[in-house]
């Protein structure tokens, strides 16, 4: 029965110590996207299997090997979403959002599921934050999405991330390039891995993605897509770069980026983190797609978007020592002795909570000593002890756990105001102390 107490392979629990980091990360990303006009959409965890096989592309690893697909009790084939783009496109079509004012800008923050070999940052359930911009074929849209990708890393304080961009051209450029790739790789049929031999027949671009060192070496000498772009695609790619340069957004042109999914045309990009030891980690990527909406039955509509893996972003932030907001702890713990005091403690804690304080009282029937130990453990900033004497007097002591200082507090309608004033007084005193330590002149903060 050991499996009852261990999570399925490739999944991960996020424990209460870690959730503040996740909440901060997700909130920051969604708010940053909002500044660019992207509004959040929430989509189902599973969709009809065909949605992914048609949109992600059935020659991709994601569709061929990694999907969590099952037949439900109604005999329908459904799949846990391996990515967000297909679901968002389906929802935009279903709800007629593409007929409204364009461009349509959508953000999402979701879990994704891929049956991959877990390890080195790969999970079977993981989190993606992403955006999609629909309705603009202009390079202005590409630069807007790239600017947002860059800004996301800036606001999180991540230093060593670079945008690497490439153009995959239009289907015409792709056709000519695919032929050129076939001609090139055909010379190396004897050396390529067996997966790449299959890829060569289905989609030669995918060979450029292979991780095997020998295939990588061969791929390094392959022709570059940039030599096969038509004039329109060349001009588009140039304008994307000109706009990024104008906005002082650093980027690198990297002709080997082909991205794992079939639906991309023209601009594709990756967000690559380089650690001090030189190790590169792709933590996000995206690109422009032309055929997706049409493939799903809509009018031809251009889209461009990106997704980033939040597990990777978090581990990069941790490695770089990025700042996270301090964790909120209990403001006031109200300890009590005896049944009547217990009820009063509950009543006052509830009052404080309705005023927005973090407040707790005893739920275990423990001794005052044990309650104080607990208050210490949860990092309570202030404690109040209630017993019969305090109830009779209608007054208790509000004690600072930091410096041990106490102030009287009436257990009446003025209670939460006194808590507020005491916390503020102490905060000012701390501020003044810190200012004095820094040699700053004293100031009157009490306006
Ligand atoms: P993709 O949709 O494959 O372009 O992936 C976008 C980003 O999601 C990647 O750059 C990773 O950061 C992240 N990602 C993809 N697959 C996984 C996985 N199995 N586990 C964790 N993160 C993943």
């Amino acid at each position: 029965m050991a499996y009852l107490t261990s999570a399925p392979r490739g999944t991960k629990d996020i424990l209460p110590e870690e959730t503040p980091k996740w909440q901060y990360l997700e909130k920051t990303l969604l708010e940053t996207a909002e500044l660019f006009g992207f509004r959040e959409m929430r989509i189902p965890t599973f969709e009809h299997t065909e949605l992914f096989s048609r949109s992600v592309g059935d020659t991709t690893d994601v569709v061929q090997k990694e999907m969590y697909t099952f037949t439900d009790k109604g005999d329908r084939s459904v799949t846990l979403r391996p990515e967000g783009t297909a679901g968002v496109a389906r929802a935009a079509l279903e709800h007629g959002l593409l007929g409204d004012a364009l461009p349509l800008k959508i953000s999402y923050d979701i879990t994704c599921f891929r049956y991959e070999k877990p390890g080195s940052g790969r999970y079977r359930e993981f989190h993606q934050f992403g955006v999609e911009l629909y309705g603009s074929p202009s390079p202005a849209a590409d630069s807007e999405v790239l600017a947002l990708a860059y800004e996301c890393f800036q606001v999180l304080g991540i230093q060593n991330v670079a945008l690497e961009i490439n153009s995959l051209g239009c289907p015409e450029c792709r056709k000519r390039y695919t032929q050129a790739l076939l001609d090139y790789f055909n010379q190396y049929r004897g050396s390529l891995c067996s997966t790449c031999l299959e890829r060569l027949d289905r989609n030669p671009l995918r060979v450029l993605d292979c991780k095997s060192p020998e295939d990588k070496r061969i791929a390094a000498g392959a022709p570059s897509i940039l030599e096969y772009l038509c004039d329109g695609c060349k001009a588009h790619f140039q304008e994307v770069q000109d706009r990024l340069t104008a906005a002082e957004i650093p980027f690198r042109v990297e002709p080997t980026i082909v991205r794992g999914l079939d639906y991309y045309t023209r601009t594709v990009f990756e967000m690559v983190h380089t650690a001090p030891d030189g190790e590169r980690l792709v933590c996000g990527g995206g690109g422009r797609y032309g055929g997706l909406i049409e493939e799903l039955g809509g009018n031809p509509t251009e889209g461009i978007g990106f997704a980033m893996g939040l597990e990777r972003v978090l581990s990069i932030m941790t490695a770089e020592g990025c700042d996270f907001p301090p964790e909120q702890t209990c403001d006031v713990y109200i300890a009590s002795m005896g049944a009547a005091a217990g009820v009063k403690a509950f009543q006052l804690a509830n009052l404080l909570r309705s005023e927005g304080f973090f407040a707790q009282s005893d739920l275990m029937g423990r001794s005052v000593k044990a309650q104080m130990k607990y208050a210490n453990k949860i990092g309570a900033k202030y404690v109040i002890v209630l017993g019969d004497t305090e109830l009779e007097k209608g007054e208790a002591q509000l004690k600072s756990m930091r410096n041990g200082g106490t102030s009287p507090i009436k257990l009446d309608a003025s209670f939460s105001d006194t808590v507020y004033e005491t916390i503020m007084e102490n905060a000012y005193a701390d501020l003044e102390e810190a200012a004095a330590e820094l040699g700053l002149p004293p100031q009157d903060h009490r306006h």
Side-chain angles (χ1 to χ4, degrees), residues 114 116 121-123 126 128 259 282-285 307-309 312:
R114 293 185 194 174
E116 290 197 77
R122 297 217 152 261
Y123 298 94
F126 60 98
Q128 277 192 349
R259 309 280 309 135
V282 179
C283 53
M308 50 211 239
R312 289 190 197 178

Side-chain angles (χ1 to χ4, degrees), residues 147-380:
L148 170 56
Y150 178 69
E151 186 60 17
C152 286
F153 290 105
Q154 290 295 105
V155 292
L156 294 172
I158 299 175
Q159 300 291 327
N160 301 310
V161 171
L163 290 177
E164 297 190 344
I165 67 173
N166 187 24
S167 175
L168 292 182
C170 59
E172 281 309 306
C173 316
R174 256 306 241 290
K175 210 186 284 167
R176 285 184 289 128
Y177 181 55
T178 307
Q179 188 54 52
L181 274 184
L182 251 182
D183 294 345
Y184 174 78
F185 284 122
N186 269 336
Q187 308 168 67
Y188 299 97
R189 276 194 174 267
S191 317
L192 292 173
C193 73
S194 58
T195 319
C196 278
L197 286 177
E198 265 174 49
R199 286 173 174 153
L200 210 50
D201 296 330
R202 288 167 178 272
N203 186 348
L205 244 71
R206 200 99 306 130
V207 181
L208 298 173
D209 257 351
C210 186
K211 303 283 177 292
S212 109
E214 175 61 6
D215 290 11
K216 261 187 162 163
R217 199 188 53 76
I218 298 171
S224 157
I225 175 78
L226 298 179
E227 292 155 27
Y228 291 82
L229 295 185
C230 65
D231 288 346
C233 289
K234 240 185 231 159
H236 184 102
F237 193 42
Q238 189 56 50
E239 187 170 343
V240 174
Q241 296 177 59
D242 292 346
R243 282 176 165 263
L244 293 178
T245 307
E248 295 180 27
I249 295 167
F251 66 92
R252 272 199 300 266
V253 174
E254 181 47 73
T256 56
I257 298 176
V258 293
R259 309 280 309 135
L261 316 177
D262 273 352
Y263 48 55
Y264 293 113
T265 54
R266 292 197 162 169
T267 313
V268 285
F269 58 96
E270 282 179 345
M271 299 115 148
V272 185
H273 180 259
T274 310
D277 64 4
E279 199 194 332
R280 285 162 51 91
L281 182 69
V282 179
C283 53
R288 174 173 283 284
Y289 43 90
L292 175 60
I293 300 289
E294 225 176 328
E295 183 70 36
L296 303 180
N299 295 324
T301 309
E302 292 268 318
I304 176 158
F306 67 77
M308 50 211 239
L310 297 189
E311 279 76 6
R312 289 190 197 178
V313 173
L314 256 190
S315 72
I316 291 169
M317 288 177 74
T318 308
E320 284 206 356
C322 293
D323 286 335
F324 290 95
E327 207 180 316
Q328 291 284 1
T329 55
C330 179
D331 292 316
V332 183
Y333 183 88
I334 308 179
S336 56
M337 216 177 337
V343 173
K344 189 72 183 170
F346 167 64
Q347 184 210 337
L348 292 172
N350 227 23
L351 181 72
L352 287 180
R353 294 187 287 239
S354 70
E355 302 273 338
F357 293 98
F358 291 64
Q360 296 195 52
S361 62
D362 178 52
L363 306 179
M364 305 290 291
R366 283 197 277 234
S367 70
V368 170
K369 196 173 158 210
Q371 289 180 53
M372 295 300 279
K373 210 167 145 194
Y374 179 74
N376 220 346
K377 195 170 165 211
I378 61 172

